[in-house]
Amino acid sequence: MNPGVGRLIRKLETFATLAETDKRALAETVTTVRRFSAHEDLLREGEPFDELKLILEGLACRYKLLPDGRRQIVAYLVPGDLCDIRTFILKRMDHSICSLAPVEAALLSAEGVLGLMGRSPALTRALWWSTLVEEANAREWLVNVGHRTAFERLAHLLCEIFIRLRAVGLTQDNRCDLPLTQNELADTLALSLVHVNRMLMEMRRAGLVTFQNKQLTIHDLQALQSASGFNASYLHLDGDKH
Amino acid sequence: MNPGVGRLIRKLETFATLAETDKRALAETVTTVRRFSAHEDLLREGEPFDELKLILEGLACRYKLLPDGRRQIVAYLVPGDLCDIRTFILKRMDHSICSLAPVEAALLSAEGVLGLMGRSPALTRALWWSTLVEEANAREWLVNVGHRTAFERLAHLLCEIFIRLRAVGLTQDNRCDLPLTQNELADTLALSLVHVNRMLMEMRRAGLVTFQNKQLTIHDLQALQSASGFNASYLHLDGDKH
DNA sequence: CGATCGTTTGAGTTTGATCAAATGTGGTGG
DNA sequence: CCACCACATTTGATCAAACTCAAACGATCG
């Protein structure tokens, strides 16, 4: 079985202990692994589905387009995240998903996962949990965009990204790969590209953060957190375990 | 059984047909009905729980406080909405819930609902669905606050509120009671009170909307929708039915 | 070695915030 | 019924954060 599924299972197990049989069965729903290049849509608004995508490697985002062509990125997807579990329930996506860097995704049989959910309430609840964590994330972003200054907003986002990547083992010390452009940060934070750039420079000058060549280095996480009012609890990385 | 539960059941049934026994059992989890006055917390961040609250009457909101005391309202709750179903899963609330007007809420036995969910996968999925609709709502608000002008933002919010209230039968023609202050609109839209007032006046002058004495009158819903780029699909009021 | 994409810098503008004060309204108690 | 108070709305004036436009600079790549 593909080892990438392990990240998903590990994530779900921060919430609930799953039976060995469930874990094995989940891993067996993987049909193929597919690669996407950067800036390719993994899933488009309103599209049908017969498979679920699980991010194994790379970085992707959920986004919404406005009539005038501007884009709001509403979430990031890191390895271990499921793209479209909500299509089981909602029938149509109200947003699209796009790779930011090359992505490797496992395709899970929708039928298989549905069947599994029918047999395992524990798994169902674990998947429900994962969507609630995303909801909490969206709410925090709303606060971020609504009530924080540009500097705080950016600092908050960088804290979040770093800590999420650290949780899945994708950081080294105080650094991580972050295949984003300043433009994409702007689309996330609802700021202009120019202003994002200025805030990044300010952070660099202040010795807080360096973001260059797709590498993010956080020189003082503590300071960055308090500068942005960051509190990781909304990420639910520790225990919601019952 | 309390008739107010009917609104919840009707809402859940836009998603899935529920068995008669499930519906009856759900209604029977109601232990009491409790009244809250305006501006009273129904549920505070981090609080324990042993009951679920279902809004029967009135208006409430989810909100988050910032260290500096400013407040972001992140959702409204109307009759038929459950306050805290996510505490089953998340264990701790990462936000609080407060009444905006006097509220009547049914208290459901948490134990009872949990038991019911254990026996009825259909109900579990219906409740999951209801949380996903809230997530979609939060994402749309993120777009609203991030990318729309003050005028559009306010127009969009008024469309949403009106259409949600209409869906639960709480409008008369083009009017509805809306027990909100301009200050609360400001906390929702991440605008200043003064600016919300100016936008409201502008809408009134344009003959689009009147909002006075806690009464909202939408003179031209069509125009208001197109002025704000409103598209109701994120509310999932029609069919996600399988 | 252009070409393309991303970053950086400067100058001027605008949206919406802040501060301050007037006006309106509803409720309470004398 | 009136005086008063608290709260909500309205208006004006000033200010600042972030935007837009424009252009230069720097990498990376075929």
Side-chain angles (χ1 to χ4, degrees), chain A residues 110-121:
Chain A
E111 201 186 354
V113 175
L114 269 173
L116 202 47
M117 275 172 37
R119 272 167 282 135
S120 169

Side-chain angles (χ1 to χ4, degrees), chain A residues 130-184:
Chain A
S130 74
T131 64
L132 288 177
V133 171
E134 288 199 60
E135 185 197 16
N137 212 296
R139 295 236 163 93
E140 187 63 32
W141 280 28
L142 179 58
V143 174
N144 204 29
V145 169
H147 279 283
R148 288 194 252 259
T149 65
F151 186 94
E152 292 167 335
R153 254 189 253 188
L154 178 55
H156 195 277
L157 178 65
L158 295 179
C159 283
E160 176 184 312
I161 291 176
F162 183 78
I163 286 173
R164 280 184 68 192
L165 288 176
R166 193 174 60 184
V168 287
L170 291 173
T171 57
Q172 311 88 43
D173 297 325
N174 60 346
R175 282 175 303 106
C176 60
D177 290 328
L178 185 60
L180 285 178
T181 65
Q182 296 185 4
N183 217 328
E184 286 156 348

Side-chain angles (χ1 to χ4, degrees), chain B residues 31 40 47 64 84 98 130 132 159 178 184 189 205 209 225:
Chain B
T31 57
E40 192 177 345
E47 237 171 40
K64 287 192 166 210
D84 36 17
C98 180
S130 73
L132 287 178
C159 284
L178 185 60
E184 285 156 348
L189 296 167
R205 260 181 263 119
V209 166
Q225 287 185 324

